[in-house]
Amino acid sequence: MLRLGRHRLETGRLILRRPERRDVPEIARLANHREISEKLGTMPYPYREQDASEFLDRIDEVGDRASVFAVCLKERGAGPGTLIGMCGYGPAHGLPKDSDPETDFGYWLGIDFWGKGYATEAADAVLTHAFCLSMVDAVTTDFQKTNPASGRVLEKLGFRVIGERTRHSLGSGAWVETFNVRLTSDGWLARKRINVA
């Protein structure tokens, strides 16, 4: 089951909504783990409330070119409950100067919520949003060669490896080897059997 709106998505177990200023303390608490930041390119460690607030500022600046969702567990009834992470897409940063623009896709969950299928469930909803509402042609992302769990999530979603590259990880403070993966709108819609008029 997926309910799809511009600023709110609902799946079987999750509600994805626009992040709000009141989320800053919880985003910082969840994200402030080296095990999370070292797997990502742009998340610093330690991760403080100021970092979460600046992240929300960047979302506001990008406007319609990006959609980022707070991933929340459903409470009994229809309301969003516990915030467990973030998932979204937008213009890619940190690419080599001669690179073509890319729409980057990314997600992270708090450590206590790993291994429960929430990442795949949230990502599936956000990708449907990207391809069906924002009419994005393709999304790309990288996952570190030392992070096969993320690779499995992306493969389940239909991403295909298009190359390898070295990217800087702000959280680990090091250059890391990654697989660069891509998912096209045509591939997603055919896989999901979604017809867009």
Side-chain angles (χ1 to χ4, degrees):
M1 174 203 79
L2 173 62
R3 292 189 180 143
L4 190 63
R6 179 56 63 185
H7 300 294
R8 181 183 167 99
L9 313 174
E10 186 175 342
T11 70
R13 300 181 294 169
L14 304 172
I15 289 176
L16 293 87
R17 58 167 174 79
R18 187 171 179 83
E20 301 171 356
R21 292 289 159 182
R22 66 182 171 89
D23 296 322
V24 163
E26 188 62 8
I27 292 170
R29 187 190 71 78
L30 284 170
N32 190 31
H33 292 274
R34 185 179 299 279
E35 298 93 329
I36 296 172
S37 61
E38 69 185 5
K39 291 175 173 43
L40 303 173
T42 58
M43 181 181 281
Y45 180 80
Y47 194 90
R48 298 190 167 89
E49 288 191 19
Q50 179 180 342
D51 298 304
S53 183
E54 290 171 0
F55 170 70
L56 295 186
D57 290 342
R58 288 192 301 276
I59 293 171
D60 291 341
E61 289 169 8
V62 174
D64 292 339
R65 296 178 297 146
S67 285
V68 177
F69 295 92
V71 181
C72 304
L73 295 178
K74 275 187 183 177
E75 289 184 341
R76 292 186 181 182
T82 304
L83 188 146
I84 65 170
M86 306 293 286
C87 186
Y89 60 92
H93 301 286
L95 299 174
K97 291 180 182 177
D98 59 347
S99 297
D100 292 330
E102 297 178 12
T103 299
D104 191 32
F105 172 77
Y107 66 90
W108 62 267
L109 296 179
I111 291 173
D112 292 341
F113 306 100
W114 291 3
K116 302 177 190 310
Y118 294 135
T120 303
E121 189 171 334
D124 185 83
V126 171
L127 288 166
T128 301
H129 186 279
F131 294 131
C132 295
L133 289 184
S134 294
M135 307 307 282
V136 170
D137 292 328
V139 293
T140 60
T141 194
D142 290 83
F143 69 92
Q144 295 178 22
K145 293 182 178 181
T146 56
N147 187 11
S150 187
R152 286 190 294 273
V153 169
L154 295 166
E155 184 179 9
K156 277 192 281 188
L157 294 165
F159 282 85
R160 296 293 172 252
V161 174
I162 57 171
E164 300 178 19
R165 54 190 181 183
T166 303
R167 301 285 303 267
H168 187 263
S169 168
L170 190 59
S172 65
W175 291 89
V176 295
E177 297 298 316
T178 69
F179 290 108
N180 180 224
V181 295
R182 187 170 192 259
L183 179 61
T184 66
S185 172
D186 288 345
W188 176 257
L189 297 174
R191 183 174 162 271
K192 301 292 279 186
R193 294 187 179 91
I194 295 173
N195 294 316
V196 179

